[in-house]
């Protein structure tokens, strides 16, 4: 086996195992124009998100002054950004993966610059005590959302370039660790701890899949655990959130307010929900019902069945992303493989954290549900990421046909 195949053995299967595992039917399926399972799961999540954002935001939009009392204000904004995301995705799909690889370091530097600009008074916009947005008048962009994609591309490119040095701490791991520390420092200044956790998870997953030493990976896990404890203990705000998560009912009108109402929403939904649009918790009881706690509204209105459908769609999307990555490995395309699996890691980790927060199994964090929650930057970044993933899949299929990618 070549060095490249050994290095990326964790991220996929060999060509022989792929052919024997899929057989003739599997090969025929892979020769379709695109991964239909991936496309349909993403479309269903986007459409379901649009419907539920409208349902969850009607009362908020009607009562808010900046919406002029229009009940459809959030729906129109979400639809606008969804249309913009589809256009951006169509453009991103046209960019070959070799170009994405060349752009990766520059996109990462641009992301760092944007994160720094957010912290400058007069440029960065502050909402609820957090400075995470750059205002362009008619829209606010959140650089941390686009930084997730930049980190996927940069970490994949770095791992491919340093593939022979992945077992060296000084030459392989230390430079990437330094880059992530800079990103983390900027994000924690906003503060945006949730985005920092997702970005660290993306970088670590790509390094591990790219052949990083198991010993160094275990050390990184321990270092992250220690860092998490230090960050929590050094911030009374984070400490309060942690204790509120452990027992929200001890202060249901204080630090446990969001979680307690999210749990009430889940309880009211039971198996089949109270009906679309019939949620009570969205009527100014549950804060951020159309963003961070959209899943709680889904649970109340559509019940256990609705939540199970959402979880199933995300699971299928992530599985397809890793399958596309494995296919790229079999075609000896390591950068594309790591990008696909990095995007899968991104959606998996962020969705898992958001769902865990809504269900009360993780501390409350300001992370949206990918593809579904209200937010222009998130929808744009998610759509572009899906386009890059589909580009990896399309190039895989071209190569399997013997055509140039």
């Amino acid at each position: 086996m070549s060095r490249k195949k050994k290095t990326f053995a964790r991220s996929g299967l060999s060509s022989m195992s792929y052919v024997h595992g899929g057989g003739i039917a599997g090969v025929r399926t892979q020769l379709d124009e695109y991964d239909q399972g991936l496309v349909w799961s993403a479309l269903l999540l986007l459409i379901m998100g649009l419907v539920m954002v409208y349902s969850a935001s009607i009362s908020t939009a009607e009562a808010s002054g900046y919406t002029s009392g229009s009940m459809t204000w959030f729906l129109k904004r979400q639809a606008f950004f969804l249309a913009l995301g589809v256009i951006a995705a169509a453009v991103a799909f046209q960019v070959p993966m070799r170009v994405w690889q060349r752009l990766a370091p520059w996109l990462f530097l641009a992301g760092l610059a944007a994160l720094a600009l957010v912290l400058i008074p007069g440029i960065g916009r502050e909402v609820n005590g957090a400075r995470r947005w750059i205002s362009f008048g008619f829209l606010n962009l959140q650089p941390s959302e686009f930084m997730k994609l930049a980190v996927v591309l940069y970490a994949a490119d770095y791992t491919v370039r340093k593939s022979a040095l992945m077992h060296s701490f000084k030459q392989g791991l230390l430079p990437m660790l330094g880059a992530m520390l800079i990103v983390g420092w900027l994000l924690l200044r906003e503060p945006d701890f949730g985005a920092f956790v997702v970005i660290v998870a993306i970088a670590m997953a790509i390094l591990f899949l790219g052949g990083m030493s198991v010993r160094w990976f275990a050390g990184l896990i321990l270092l992250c655990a220690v860092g998490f404890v230090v960050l929590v203990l050094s911030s009374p705000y984070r400490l309060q959130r942690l204790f509120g998560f452990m027992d929200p009912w001890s202060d249901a009108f204080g630090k446990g307010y969001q979680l307690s109402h999210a749990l009430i929403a889940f309880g009211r939904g039971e198996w089949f929900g109270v009906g679309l649009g019939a949620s009570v918790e969205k009527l100014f009881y549950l804060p951020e019902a159309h963003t961070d706690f959209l899943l709680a509204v889904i649970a109340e209105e559509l019940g256990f069945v609705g939540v199970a459908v959402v979880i199933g769609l995300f699971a299928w999307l992530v599985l397809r992303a890793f399958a596309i990555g494995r296919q790229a490995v079999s075609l000896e395309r390591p950068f594309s493989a790591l990008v696909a699996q990095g995007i899968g890691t991104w959606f998996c980790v962020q969705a898992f954290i958001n769902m865990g927060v809504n269900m009360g199994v993780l501390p409350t964090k300001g992370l949206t549900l990918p593809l579904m929650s209200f937010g222009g930057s998130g929808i744009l970044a998610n759509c572009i990421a899906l386009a890059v993933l589909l580009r990896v899949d399309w190039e895989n299929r071209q190569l399997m046909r013997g055509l140039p990618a």
Side-chain angles (χ1 to χ4, degrees):
M1 183 180 290
S2 66
R3 176 185 295 178
K4 185 181 290 185
K5 287 186 179 179
K6 286 182 179 178
T7 301
F8 295 94
R10 291 199 193 100
S11 65
L13 304 176
S14 66
S15 301
M16 190 62 67
S17 63
Y18 169 77
V19 172
H20 284 296
I24 296 175
V27 171
R28 186 182 298 118
T29 301
Q30 295 303 321
L31 291 178
D32 290 339
E33 284 300 318
Y34 56 88
D35 191 315
Q36 297 184 30
L38 173 65
V39 171
W40 279 109
S41 59
L43 283 176
L44 287 172
L45 286 169
L46 287 168
I47 294 170
M48 189 174 180
L50 187 65
V51 173
M52 294 311 303
V53 163
Y54 178 45
S55 177
S57 64
I58 291 176
S59 300
T60 303
E62 193 174 17
S64 297
Y66 63 87
T67 65
S68 302
S70 172
M71 294 188 298
T72 61
W73 190 88
F74 288 101
L75 172 66
K76 291 175 181 176
R77 293 280 291 184
Q78 187 77 344
F80 168 76
F81 280 111
L82 183 54
L84 196 61
V86 171
I87 295 171
V91 174
F93 181 79
Q94 304 304 317
V95 181
M97 292 308 299
R98 62 180 182 276
V99 176
W100 284 114
Q101 188 169 6
R102 287 201 299 268
L103 291 175
W106 302 106
L107 292 173
F108 182 74
L109 290 175
L112 286 178
L115 290 179
L117 283 175
V118 166
L119 302 176
I120 300 176
I123 298 179
R125 182 169 179 257
E126 185 173 336
V127 178
N128 296 329
R131 190 184 297 271
R132 301 175 184 173
W133 297 267
I134 297 177
S135 179
F136 290 93
F138 68 99
L139 60 86
N140 299 312
L141 289 182
Q142 189 174 352
S144 61
E145 292 293 338
F146 299 96
M147 192 62 183
K148 295 167 187 173
L149 178 58
V151 167
V152 168
L153 297 169
Y154 177 71
D157 173 58
Y158 176 88
T159 304
V160 171
R161 286 188 288 107
K162 300 278 189 176
S163 59
L165 303 172
M166 279 293 102
H167 289 274
S168 168
F169 176 80
K170 183 177 180 181
Q171 295 178 291
L173 180 60
L174 192 58
M176 177 58 74
L177 183 61
M180 290 302 103
L181 286 175
I182 294 172
V183 173
W185 180 76
L186 291 170
L187 287 172
L188 292 175
R189 289 287 304 274
E190 295 184 5
D192 195 348
F193 186 67
F196 177 52
V197 170
V198 173
I199 285 173
V200 168
I202 291 170
M204 288 181 61
I206 290 176
L207 287 173
F208 178 71
L209 292 169
M212 184 177 67
S213 167
V214 175
R215 180 180 61 179
W216 293 127
F217 183 75
L220 270 180
I221 294 290
L222 180 61
L223 182 64
C224 289
V226 172
F228 173 78
V229 172
V230 171
L231 286 172
V232 169
L233 294 178
S234 63
S235 171
Y237 169 73
R238 296 191 188 102
L239 198 60
Q240 284 183 356
R241 280 199 166 188
L242 181 62
F243 285 122
F245 143 73
M246 295 172 67
D247 185 10
W249 306 109
S250 64
D251 189 10
F253 294 98
K255 58 180 179 288
Y257 182 80
Q258 283 181 307
L259 179 54
S260 61
H261 280 279
L263 294 176
I264 291 171
F266 270 86
R268 290 192 74 244
E270 297 184 351
W271 285 98
F272 300 103
V274 297
L276 184 62
S279 168
V280 172
E281 287 299 318
K282 69 183 182 185
L283 304 177
F284 308 107
Y285 293 104
L286 181 62
E288 309 298 337
H290 57 298
T291 55
D292 298 351
F293 285 88
L294 185 67
L295 188 70
V297 178
I298 293 173
E300 186 177 4
E301 295 190 350
L302 305 181
F304 173 82
V305 172
V307 174
V309 168
V310 171
I311 293 174
L313 288 172
F314 272 110
W316 183 248
L317 188 149
V318 171
L319 286 173
R320 294 312 309 154
F322 275 83
I324 291 169
R326 289 197 303 271
Q327 186 182 87
V329 170
S330 72
L331 296 170
E332 298 189 2
R333 305 177 63 223
F335 173 74
S336 297
L338 291 175
V339 167
Q341 295 179 340
I343 292 171
T345 301
W346 167 10
F347 282 95
C348 177
V349 171
Q350 185 164 334
F352 177 79
I353 293 175
N354 178 273
M355 292 175 184
V357 167
N358 276 254
M359 297 178 188
V361 297
L362 290 174
T364 304
K365 285 307 309 164
L367 270 179
T368 56
L369 190 60
L371 302 172
M372 299 192 73
S373 292
F374 177 80
S377 298
I379 290 294
L380 273 173
N382 293 164
C383 288
I384 294 172
L386 285 171
V388 174
L389 182 58
L390 283 171
R391 179 71 194 194
V392 174
D393 176 60
W394 184 82
E395 291 187 5
N396 287 347
R397 295 166 192 270
Q398 291 295 100
L399 290 171
M400 291 177 66
R401 288 186 172 123
L403 300 174

